[in-house]
Amino acid sequence: MDELITDILQQLRTNSQSALDAHQLEALLRAHSGGTRSTSRTTQIPKRALLPYFLQAKDQNSELWQSWNITPELEARFIRSVRMKPRRSASGVATITVITRPHTCSSNCLYCPCDLRMPKSYIANEPACQRAEQAFFDPYIQVAARLRALHQMGHSTDKVELIVLGGTWSDYPISYQYWFVSELFRALNEWPASPHQSKKRLNWYHSLGLHHTEEALAAFVAPQQEAITAGTTSYNQAFHQLYDTSQPHQNAWAHMSATLDDLYKQQQKNETAACRVVGLVIETRPDTITAANLKLFRQLGCTKIQIGIQSTRQEILDANLRHMTTTQIKRAFSLIRLYGFKIHAHMMINLLGATPQSDKYDFDTFITDPGYLPDEVKLYPCALVEGTQLVEKYHKGAWLPYSKEELVDILVHDVLAAPCYVRISRMIRDISSTDILVGNKHTNLRQMVEQHLTSEDLAGRVQEIRFREINQQQVQADELTLQEYAYTTAVSDEHFLQWVTTDNNIAGFCRLSLPHWDKLSAGMCDVAADELAVQPGQAMIRELHVYGQALSLGTEGISAQHQGLGQKLLAYASTLATDAGYTSLNVISSVGTRAYYRAQGFIDAGLYQRKELQ
């Protein structure tokens, strides 16, 4: 291993302008395998082992480290050369997904999985769920493990977006919500010591009598899970039978409680921590959205809400036992928007009662009706999973899955229809093919869609954000153009400001929201002005993001980050708000970005940061 790293460093010194490409690195790996390409597959040093060994030498073997004679610039190029899964931080931040503990759900949708090992709607075989289960759903342990994995793959963890999944966040006790988020922050604040602390926490769960082997977990839920599959009990009923009588779980869950003051202490530490939270996402349902809940979300530090819409058509919602109205959904959108959150909506294709044509119409409605207009969409097909109420509909012939061709056709339509301010983040759920009885099992559905767009010469028409992200592309600020796209919602005028390259790739953007204060104050909207946490005359920046491989805080790079693009977006947004007659500008900042906004003239103002406009 030492010789291999020495050779890589030598090649980097010879070619001092860039990192090694994949072919150059593969050639070096083969050269140190002791065999030919055909025989070296079992003996070749794996790429994933390079960076952990390199970093371990830096931390623990000063003699070896000094012998390599590594400058900071050379170290950065080495990491770029051997980094695993570079797209994970290509958006400019490192993303960490965590799962809340099993809990009942106040809804019971037709298609929703009922795995008692998980919070409702999730399945134990999903990757994030597997990690959570091994961590006893402890948020601290989950974050510490992901930090270590990202670090070993060569990703900067200075800027972290936390995504909290678990069905319906608002159904959990408030004291649990405070505790869960406090522990997320604590794990980041205590890095790099948090993996060591995780071992103590794991031992504590074991001491309570909890186990996380596959055999023990499956056996624990087996009788109740069989009853759900047979249709003789519901998830909520089985949950109470199982967990209410489990003393180890009750003992563990009794400790999962904290106060708002506990949370604030961890948030304050995170403002200057080595790993700062630059985004916090939670998941809930439209019918749980209230002004009180949104204020709580802001106290937690939340900046984006994942919300399950599934459809804009009432008959489809009713058929799938999605017990809410389109009026409720639109009001939820209005409230979320006016509180400054980014709206990440979930929509499902192929629900009971839908057709390929009606699904296209549904998406068109979603991106044109002023009551909706999301910022981000998770768009995925319905699949048949054991234990759901949809199984009976399938056996009766009432529901059938779409073909691969039909799915691709719908998704191509949706991608082409999406406006420039919408990001389609996902096209599948991470459900294992072994858990899907019937339905899409193609994990590369997005790739199929993009290949179709390319083969039909349609890629140039795509405006959707994810398709246009610069990822690891190197850009200079003077090569970019600032474009403005304005649109009107039921409660605001929205301005999407984007930095684009000559070929329309996006390097950064800002979402400026100008509320219709005259209509809100006059009671002409589905939300009243006195329900809000901001005052008439105030505008809101709901998101500011600049792309590029995640760089360490305070460092310079030639990605889009660190070139003043964010400052210019803020300045332009301030001018737009001023010209429109607004008196001040709020920003829904994350805990880890508060210092940045203070430097731009914003002051702390309750749930937001604010700047007075001239």
Side-chain angles (χ1 to χ4, degrees):
M1 183 76 79
D2 294 353
E3 292 180 359
L4 172 57
I5 290 179
T6 299
D7 282 356
I8 294 173
L9 293 170
Q10 183 57 43
Q11 286 226 11
L12 289 169
R13 290 188 180 97
T14 302
N15 182 11
S16 60
Q17 299 302 313
S18 64
L20 300 182
D21 62 31
H23 296 296
Q24 292 171 316
L25 181 59
E26 178 67 19
L28 285 170
L29 287 168
R30 289 202 309 273
H32 285 267
S33 67
T36 65
R37 183 177 182 84
S38 61
T39 62
S40 63
R41 295 181 185 273
T42 59
T43 61
Q44 181 172 306
I45 297 172
K47 177 184 174 182
R48 65 178 179 274
L50 289 172
L51 192 56
Y53 185 85
F54 180 82
L55 295 173
Q56 184 180 34
K58 181 180 180 180
D59 294 338
Q60 302 176 17
N61 193 336
S62 58
E63 182 178 350
L64 178 59
W65 182 258
Q66 290 172 9
S67 72
W68 286 335
N69 192 25
I70 298 175
T71 64
E73 184 270 343
L74 182 60
E75 179 181 355
R77 288 196 294 121
F78 179 90
I79 290 174
R80 287 203 303 273
S81 299
V82 302
R83 177 186 287 123
M84 298 289 291
K85 299 182 180 179
R87 189 181 176 96
R88 285 196 174 177
S89 58
S91 64
V93 299
T95 299
I96 294 177
T97 299
V98 296
I99 308 290
T100 51
R101 66 171 172 81
H103 193 68
T104 55
C105 179
S106 52
S107 187
N108 191 25
C109 301
L110 193 75
Y111 48 80
C112 190
C114 298
D115 189 333
L116 286 168
R117 289 163 57 174
M118 291 291 130
K120 196 168 188 296
S121 86
Y122 286 88
I123 299 177
N125 283 335
E126 296 180 63
C129 294
Q130 290 177 325
R131 295 193 295 266
E133 199 169 41
Q134 290 303 302
F136 296 104
F137 299 94
D138 185 297
Y140 184 102
I141 300 173
Q142 292 182 67
V143 169
R146 297 310 293 157
L147 282 175
R148 180 168 54 189
L150 287 165
H151 180 67
Q152 291 179 345
M153 288 189 291
H155 298 280
S156 172
T157 55
D158 293 13
K159 293 173 285 185
V160 175
E161 180 184 48
L162 295 168
I163 301 178
V164 181
L165 302 180
T168 306
W169 172 262
S170 305
D171 283 346
Y172 287 87
I174 291 178
S175 61
Y176 175 82
Q177 295 181 39
Y178 287 150
W179 173 81
F180 195 92
V181 178
S182 295
E183 295 308 302
L184 295 176
F185 279 102
R186 189 191 306 276
L188 293 167
N189 294 340
E190 295 182 0
W191 173 261
S194 44
H196 176 71
Q197 294 299 321
S198 291
K199 295 179 182 178
K200 296 181 180 178
R201 295 173 79 114
L202 285 169
N203 290 335
W204 180 76
Y205 286 106
H206 285 298
S207 73
L208 295 177
L210 292 172
H211 302 284
H212 57 190
T213 65
E214 176 61 28
E215 296 77 10
L217 293 166
F220 176 67
V221 303
Q224 287 81 7
Q225 196 69 59
E226 290 173 4
I228 290 176
T229 301
T232 58
T233 190
S234 69
Y235 174 93
N236 286 359
Q237 292 169 335
F239 174 91
H240 287 300
Q241 295 169 5
L242 189 66
Y243 289 102
D244 289 0
T245 58
S246 171
Q247 200 58 50
H249 284 92
Q250 291 300 310
N251 290 340
W253 294 356
H255 287 81
M256 297 179 180
S257 176
T259 66
L260 184 58
D261 285 341
D262 295 329
L263 172 62
Y264 281 164
K265 289 176 183 177
Q266 294 302 321
Q267 288 180 341
Q268 187 174 18
K269 291 179 180 178
N270 191 253
E271 288 189 25
T272 56
C275 303
R276 301 180 198 175
V277 177
V278 299
L280 175 60
V281 188
I282 62 170
E283 180 183 36
T284 193
R285 296 195 318 273
D287 54 312
T288 69
I289 295 297
T290 64
N293 275 341
L294 293 178
K295 289 176 183 176
L296 171 61
F297 296 169
R298 276 307 296 145
Q299 290 175 330
L300 296 173
C302 178
T303 54
K304 181 192 295 185
I305 294 177
Q306 286 200 30
I307 185 167
I309 304 306
Q310 318 314 1
S311 177
T312 66
R313 291 173 292 154
Q314 190 63 54
E315 67 273 18
I316 297 298
L317 296 175
D318 293 344
N320 290 272
L321 305 184
R322 189 77 173 163
H323 295 310
M324 63 186 69
T325 66
T326 55
T327 299
Q328 282 180 302
I329 295 173
K330 289 183 177 182
R331 173 173 157 78
F333 265 56
S334 295
L335 272 172
I336 293 170
R337 192 184 308 278
L338 291 171
Y339 267 81
F341 296 100
K342 280 77 71 179
I343 305 173
H344 187 173
H346 299 183
M347 288 198 76
M348 292 182 69
I349 298 168
N350 199 184
L351 288 169
L352 179 67
T355 66
Q357 192 58 40
S358 69
D359 277 332
K360 293 179 184 179
Y361 176 79
D362 201 5
F363 188 80
D364 289 344
T365 300
F366 200 40
I367 59 171
T368 57
D369 187 324
Y372 301 113
L373 308 186
D375 304 308
E376 194 167 356
V377 181
K378 185 182 291 185
L379 187 65
Y380 53 90
C382 180
L384 190 67
V385 177
E386 188 176 62
T388 64
Q389 300 172 80
L390 188 61
V391 172
E392 181 182 359
K393 300 293 183 181
Y394 170 71
H395 288 313
K396 291 181 177 180
W399 178 86
L400 292 173
Y402 294 162
S403 68
K404 179 187 71 175
E405 291 72 23
E406 287 172 319
L407 287 176
V408 170
D409 179 60
I410 296 167
L411 292 170
V412 165
H413 166 273
D414 293 352
V415 169
L416 289 172
C420 66
Y421 61 85
V422 169
R423 184 179 192 269
I424 300 178
S425 61
R426 302 208 67 172
M427 292 184 184
I428 59 165
R429 274 278 304 268
D430 272 339
I431 299 177
S432 168
S433 61
T434 59
D435 288 316
I436 297 176
L437 301 178
V438 176
N440 174 65
K441 297 186 180 183
H442 297 284
T443 58
N444 63 334
L445 197 55
R446 181 186 288 275
Q447 285 74 22
M448 293 180 185
V449 170
E450 293 181 350
Q451 287 169 6
H452 181 89
L453 289 165
T454 301
S455 65
E456 297 297 319
D457 199 25
L458 297 171
R461 290 173 45 190
V462 177
Q463 296 299 308
E464 180 263 326
I465 292 175
R466 192 180 188 277
F467 191 85
R468 298 186 296 124
E469 291 171 347
I470 61 170
N471 294 322
Q472 302 172 72
Q473 179 182 342
Q474 306 296 335
V475 297
Q476 295 290 350
D478 58 8
E479 300 172 354
L480 302 172
T481 301
L482 180 58
Q483 295 181 354
E484 175 187 350
Y485 183 91
Y487 58 102
T488 300
T489 75
V491 291
S492 65
D493 290 325
E494 301 287 319
H495 293 261
F496 182 73
L497 314 176
Q498 59 175 343
W499 288 110
V500 296
T501 64
T502 54
D503 52 0
N504 200 35
N505 286 339
I506 185 168
F509 62 87
C510 175
R511 301 186 191 273
L512 171 67
S513 185
L514 304 178
H516 294 158
W517 284 114
D518 52 346
K519 295 180 180 179
L520 291 165
S521 299
M524 299 170 62
C525 300
D526 53 4
V527 173
D530 60 7
E531 293 183 84
L532 306 179
V534 292
Q535 299 299 316
Q538 295 179 353
M540 177 75 73
I541 289 178
R542 297 190 300 114
E543 185 172 16
L544 179 68
H545 188 87
V546 177
Y547 287 97
Q549 194 74 43
L551 301 174
S552 296
L553 291 165
T555 65
E556 297 297 325
I558 57 173
S559 70
Q561 293 187 343
H562 305 284
Q563 297 192 46
L565 299 181
Q567 294 176 357
K568 292 174 183 177
L569 288 170
L570 285 175
Y572 191 67
S574 298
T575 299
L576 287 174
T578 301
D579 292 347
Y582 290 79
T583 57
S584 58
L585 180 62
N586 291 303
V587 61
I588 185 167
S589 55
S590 301
V591 171
T593 61
R594 289 173 181 169
Y596 171 81
Y597 286 109
R598 290 177 191 134
Q600 310 309 315
F602 289 81
I603 61 172
D604 297 352
L607 299 179
Y608 307 95
Q609 290 181 284
R610 182 176 304 147
K611 181 175 73 172
E612 299 304 315
L613 299 174
Q614 302 300 321

